[in-house]
Amino acid sequence: MTIYNFSAGPAVLPEPVLKKAQEELLDYQGSGMSVMELSHRSSLFEEIIANAEKLLRKLMNIPENYHVLFLQGGASLQFSAVPLNLAQNKKALYINTGSWAEKAIAAAKDIHTVDTQVIASSEDKNFAYIPQITKDLLDKDAAYLHITTNETIGGISYQKIPDTGDIPLVADMSSNILTNEYKVSDFGVIYAGAQKNMGPAGLTVVIIRDDLLNEQPLFAPMLDYRLQADKHSMYNTPPTFSIYMAKLVFEWLQDLGGIPQILKYNQQKAGLLYDAIDRSALFQSPVNKNDRSLTNIPFLTNSDTLNQKFIQLAQEQGFENLKGHRSVGGMRASLYNAFPLEGVQALVDFMEKFEKAHGGE
Amino acid sequence: MTIYNFSAGPAVLPEPVLKKAQEELLDYQGSGMSVMELSHRSSLFEEIIANAEKLLRKLMNIPENYHVLFLQGGASLQFSAVPLNLAQNKKALYINTGSWAEKAIAAAKDIHTVDTQVIASSEDKNFAYIPQITKDLLDKDAAYLHITTNETIGGISYQKIPDTGDIPLVADMSSNILTNEYKVSDFGVIYAGAQKNMGPAGLTVVIIRDDLLNEQPLFAPMLDYRLQADKHSMYNTPPTFSIYMAKLVFEWLQDLGGIPQILKYNQQKAGLLYDAIDRSALFQSPVNKNDRSLTNIPFLTNSDTLNQKFIQLAQEQGFENLKGHRSVGGMRASLYNAFPLEGVQALVDFMEKFEKAHGGE
């Protein structure tokens, strides 16, 4: 039975990447050592991390005045690190678009030296849409405006990045980094956990513009962006194997034709599923059509019993991790870069069969 | 050519562990998914993390009133997390035994709400010994006394854990966790990066006694011990693959007979090398005989040129990562649990040959 893994993260990885990692797991490039056994100060690992950065810079077209950091702790640690580094004794503005934006906001509010303000929210409609951000909402003195480019749980996404003028835009891009053609220069800081589109869990990428690096050292060295930039992500031992896996994923994406190609592929996959939802009398999307995510697609019937039956029967057919998050209910299909088109086609076929058999219940 | 990897970390892993990981890298237990692709909320991963904890509890005989946390960021992040959680508006006592103790001390001093005091140091003799800790050195009001059980760079180690009475003892055990028969109940908190004796880099284990968990939430959720304990290390996505690798290492160690057996093996390995150093007219150990580390063994000749020649010729013979840290110079052999006895024997043979050929230079 073919397994299709719709997990929201950690998520499906490209098969050629896993095969390559398997092949050289005990002997990396004839060294007689596993990548996991390499000293992070060895020339072999230094080449891996340098190439990972080079590939990511090329894929995302990252300008030279941005640093690329390979850190740990997930986006959740960045929820604290961003305000600590950028907004102490300043104002930090946030847009609330759902579960992940809320976590970022809560972490900023926990820091008493930061004046955290939520300037727009779609909570009124259970986060089914992206609020409009107009320049008059922005306080000129703010240290930054924070957005969540894609809500993994809610399934909404910014189709257009707000223009914030001189106010640095900070983005949690965990669930759609490398899936969309974003312009890095529109952002001051981008951060993302790796476990959706870049590699295994345990690696966090931070892309930060030079002039936003903290001038004063932070009280916690591991959270200090300038220190991490000065040390090229090697202030301490980085998550070496995860960086190696990310490098392999970046190579795979490069070979496929980079972001322009994967974007087309992602649009094809998402389009297939949204079309099936839209023509169905049983399934529906809970979110605003204009703000639909390309990577995380919640859908549901109007019956919890039917949702559960669908998830159960789907799993029996090899469709794994389709259960939606409890805050939205129903189902969710996460279609990251490595998820294959055939899997979406198979799901759509299964949905049609299910609707015929159970639609009238 | 057989490769012997003396790296101080990331370090050699047990070959059966790497083979097992390789075998199931694309298909974990017939799931059709890699461990790296498993949702951290899946029953398959929940079993992995639960078993990792169970095995570690058994190996170290961890009492029930201790929590085991699987975190990220290395010991370096704990250098900040420990004082933030345990010593805000209190005194924190430290013993300075070398490079890693110094890093822990510096991080604590960076926190202005903590009164950090170094109560003993072996800096006077370039950290060649472990200072005596007597009870009169301890301030009864201190939140804790922090020690570094083994100095990875300096190569010294506590042979006897100091008795601190009611003052919780906090230990950075990164380079000798699972190598020695420590009694967990002698400690309030133990923390260790995984990349020496437990698995790949990117995982940090924290073992903390119930009553030391912070009563007030910390301003940074990811650093909040109580929150991490309440969420069973799943406040956010943990480093799933690293935890799986650690579980395999724990199983391997259990199968070997646990810590009593590996301790004998480690004593045999270290004894072989120390004996060779002690009978050599060329090589010497820079540290106090009574405080010698079992896991990290620096040694050197009295000539930088000879040291460099030794390192170069050794590498040509497959002895990797023997170069000592710049602060000590010379050579360093790290002999963690997974390092094989044959490798030490081969090194000792090579040292004797080298001494015959170059001893008179």
Side-chain angles (χ1 to χ4, degrees):
Chain A
M1 184 168 68
T2 307
I3 299 296
Y4 292 114
N5 180 7
F6 294 89
S7 174
V12 59
L13 287 163
E15 201 176 319
V17 165
L18 287 170
K19 282 193 169 154
K20 174 91 174 160
Q22 182 179 46
E23 211 177 278
E24 56 192 19
L25 201 78
L26 273 88
D27 184 8
Y28 178 68
Q29 295 197 350
S31 66
M33 296 177 274
S34 173
V35 170
M36 291 181 243
E37 300 176 306
L38 296 179
S39 166
H40 58 299
R41 307 286 178 197
S42 65
S43 55
L44 280 174
F45 180 72
E46 279 181 354
E47 202 187 336
I48 290 171
I49 194 169
N51 281 335
E53 179 175 338
K54 209 165 113 184
L55 284 156
L56 187 60
R57 283 187 179 276
K58 197 171 168 195
L59 284 166
M60 293 182 73
N61 202 10
I62 300 173
E64 275 187 22
N65 62 326
Y66 284 73
H67 288 273
V68 175
L69 310 179
F70 294 106
L71 306 178
Q72 295 183 58
S76 293
L77 189 55
Q78 298 311 315
F79 294 162
S80 303
V82 164
L84 286 170
N85 278 275
L86 274 71
Q88 290 209 58
N89 305 311
K90 291 181 188 159
K91 260 179 213 159
L93 311 181
Y94 283 78
I95 312 292
N96 188 4
T97 45
S99 300
W100 288 103
E102 280 182 327
K103 285 213 174 194
I105 292 163
K109 282 190 173 169
D110 280 347
I111 301 165
H112 298 302
T113 50
V114 174
D115 179 5
T116 303
Q117 301 188 353
V118 179
I119 60 162
S121 168
S122 54
E123 198 174 2
D124 59 336
K125 291 189 178 162
N126 197 28
F127 303 113
Y129 70 102
I130 298 284
Q132 283 290 323
I133 318 300
T134 49
K135 278 206 176 168
D136 59 292
L137 290 171
L138 303 174
D139 184 326
K140 276 188 301 180
D141 297 330
Y144 60 80
L145 171 69
H146 181 282
I147 63 169
T148 310
T149 50
N150 182 80
E151 285 283 353
T152 322
I153 289 174
I156 55 173
S157 181
Y158 286 78
Q159 310 301 313
K160 198 178 158 295
I161 295 302
D163 177 7
T164 54
D166 288 339
I167 301 172
L169 186 61
V170 175
D172 174 4
M173 215 178 264
S174 293
S175 49
N176 70 343
I177 193 168
L178 292 178
T179 66
N180 275 15
E181 278 186 308
Y182 288 127
K183 210 173 145 192
V184 172
S185 58
D186 286 345
F187 301 88
V189 182
I190 291 169
Y191 62 92
Q195 68 270 17
K196 297 161 198 300
N197 280 299
M198 296 189 283
L203 171 64
T204 314
V205 169
V206 175
I207 301 165
I208 180 167
R209 210 172 64 208
D210 283 358
D211 62 297
L212 295 173
L213 292 173
N214 46 309
E215 283 176 19
Q216 297 300 318
L218 202 65
F219 63 90
M222 284 295 289
L223 305 185
D224 185 317
Y225 286 151
R226 181 175 294 275
L227 183 63
Q228 293 284 7
D230 286 348
K231 300 285 186 182
H232 300 283
S233 311
M234 300 258 244
Y235 172 73
N236 75 342
T237 314
T240 51
F241 185 74
S242 301
I243 293 169
Y244 156 77
M245 288 297 298
K247 191 207 78 152
L248 294 184
V249 171
F250 299 158
E251 280 170 351
W252 166 83
L253 186 50
Q254 189 68 46
D255 289 348
L256 280 185
I259 295 183
Q261 282 307 314
I262 206 79
L263 174 59
K264 278 186 206 160
Y265 189 60
N266 288 337
Q267 284 166 336
Q268 211 183 337
K269 292 186 295 185
L272 201 58
L273 182 52
Y274 282 124
D275 285 351
I277 293 166
D278 289 344
R279 66 172 181 266
S280 161
L282 180 65
F283 299 104
Q284 58 193 37
S285 160
V287 305
N288 190 338
K289 215 165 179 171
N290 294 331
D291 300 320
R292 285 172 166 182
S293 165
L294 208 58
T295 45
N296 305 95
I297 305 181
F299 59 100
L300 59 174
T301 73
N302 57 13
S303 147
D304 280 347
T305 319
L306 266 191
N307 291 340
Q308 276 168 36
K309 185 176 274 182
F310 180 86
I311 292 160
Q312 190 204 318
L313 293 179
Q315 190 172 11
E316 288 168 10
Q317 300 295 313
F319 301 103
E320 289 283 347
N321 294 306
L322 271 174
K323 192 171 188 298
H325 191 269
R326 63 186 179 285
S327 63
V328 178
M331 285 69 74
R332 174 179 46 170
S334 294
L335 308 180
Y336 300 124
N337 286 349
F339 193 93
L341 181 66
E342 313 85 80
V344 187
Q345 187 56 61
L347 174 65
V348 164
D349 293 346
F350 178 76
M351 286 165 71
E352 281 168 4
K353 265 188 226 158
F354 184 88
E355 186 165 348
K356 268 182 201 147
H358 304 280
E361 271 181 29
Chain B
M1 185 169 66
T2 307
I3 299 296
Y4 292 114
N5 180 7
F6 293 89
S7 174
V12 58
L13 286 163
E15 199 176 321
V17 164
L18 287 171
K19 282 193 169 154
K20 174 92 175 161
Q22 182 178 45
E23 212 179 276
E24 55 193 19
L25 201 78
L26 274 89
D27 184 8
Y28 178 68
Q29 294 198 350
S31 66
M33 294 177 275
S34 174
V35 169
M36 291 181 244
E37 299 176 307
L38 295 179
S39 166
H40 57 299
R41 308 286 178 196
S42 65
S43 55
L44 279 175
F45 181 72
E46 280 182 353
E47 204 186 334
I48 290 171
I49 193 170
N51 281 336
E53 178 174 340
K54 210 164 113 182
L55 284 157
L56 187 61
R57 284 186 177 277
K58 198 172 167 193
L59 284 166
M60 293 184 71
N61 202 11
I62 301 173
E64 276 187 22
N65 63 324
Y66 285 73
H67 288 273
V68 175
L69 310 179
F70 295 105
L71 305 178
Q72 295 182 59
S76 294
L77 189 54
Q78 298 310 314
F79 294 162
S80 303
V82 164
L84 286 169
N85 277 274
L86 272 73
Q88 290 209 59
N89 306 311
K90 289 181 190 161
K91 262 177 214 160
L93 312 181
Y94 283 77
I95 312 293
N96 188 4
T97 45
S99 301
W100 289 102
E102 279 181 328
K103 285 214 173 191
I105 292 162
K109 282 190 173 167
D110 281 347
I111 301 165
H112 298 301
T113 51
V114 175
D115 179 4
T116 303
Q117 301 188 352
V118 179
I119 60 161
S121 168
S122 53
E123 198 175 1
D124 58 338
K125 293 188 179 164
N126 197 27
F127 303 114
Y129 70 101
I130 298 285
Q132 282 291 322
I133 319 299
T134 49
K135 277 207 176 166
D136 58 292
L137 290 171
L138 303 174
D139 185 325
K140 277 187 304 182
D141 297 329
Y144 60 80
L145 171 68
H146 181 282
I147 62 170
T148 311
T149 51
N150 183 81
E151 285 282 354
T152 321
I153 290 173
I156 56 172
S157 181
Y158 287 78
Q159 309 302 313
K160 199 179 159 294
I161 295 302
D163 177 7
T164 55
D166 288 340
I167 300 172
L169 185 62
V170 175
D172 173 4
M173 214 177 264
S174 292
S175 50
N176 70 344
I177 194 168
L178 292 178
T179 65
N180 275 14
E181 276 185 309
Y182 288 128
K183 210 173 143 191
V184 173
S185 59
D186 286 343
F187 300 88
V189 181
I190 292 168
Y191 62 91
Q195 67 271 20
K196 297 161 198 298
N197 281 296
M198 295 189 285
L203 171 65
T204 314
V205 169
V206 175
I207 301 166
I208 180 167
R209 210 172 64 207
D210 283 357
D211 62 296
L212 295 174
L213 291 172
N214 48 310
E215 283 177 18
Q216 297 300 319
L218 201 65
F219 64 89
M222 285 295 288
L223 304 185
D224 185 318
Y225 286 151
R226 182 175 294 277
L227 183 64
Q228 293 284 7
D230 286 349
K231 299 286 185 182
H232 301 283
S233 312
M234 300 258 244
Y235 172 72
N236 75 340
T237 314
T240 51
F241 185 73
S242 301
I243 293 170
Y244 156 78
M245 287 298 296
K247 191 206 79 151
L248 295 184
V249 171
F250 299 158
E251 279 170 352
W252 166 82
L253 186 51
Q254 189 69 47
D255 289 348
L256 280 185
I259 295 183
Q261 282 306 313
I262 205 79
L263 174 58
K264 278 185 207 161
Y265 189 61
N266 289 337
Q267 284 166 336
Q268 212 181 337
K269 290 185 295 185
L272 201 58
L273 182 51
Y274 281 123
D275 285 350
I277 293 166
D278 290 343
R279 67 170 180 266
S280 161
L282 179 66
F283 299 105
Q284 58 192 39
S285 159
V287 306
N288 190 338
K289 216 164 177 170
N290 295 329
D291 300 320
R292 285 171 166 181
S293 166
L294 209 58
T295 43
N296 305 95
I297 305 181
F299 59 99
L300 58 175
T301 73
N302 56 13
S303 147
D304 280 348
T305 318
L306 267 190
N307 291 340
Q308 277 169 34
K309 186 175 274 180
F310 181 86
I311 292 159
Q312 189 204 318
L313 293 178
Q315 192 173 10
E316 288 168 10
Q317 299 294 314
F319 301 104
E320 289 282 349
N321 295 305
L322 271 174
K323 191 171 190 296
H325 191 271
R326 63 185 181 283
S327 62
V328 179
M331 287 69 76
R332 173 178 47 169
S334 294
L335 307 179
Y336 299 124
N337 286 348
F339 192 92
L341 182 65
E342 311 86 79
V344 188
Q345 187 57 62
L347 175 64
V348 165
D349 294 346
F350 178 76
M351 287 165 71
E352 282 168 4
K353 264 188 230 161
F354 183 88
E355 187 166 348
K356 269 182 202 148
H358 305 277
E361 271 180 31

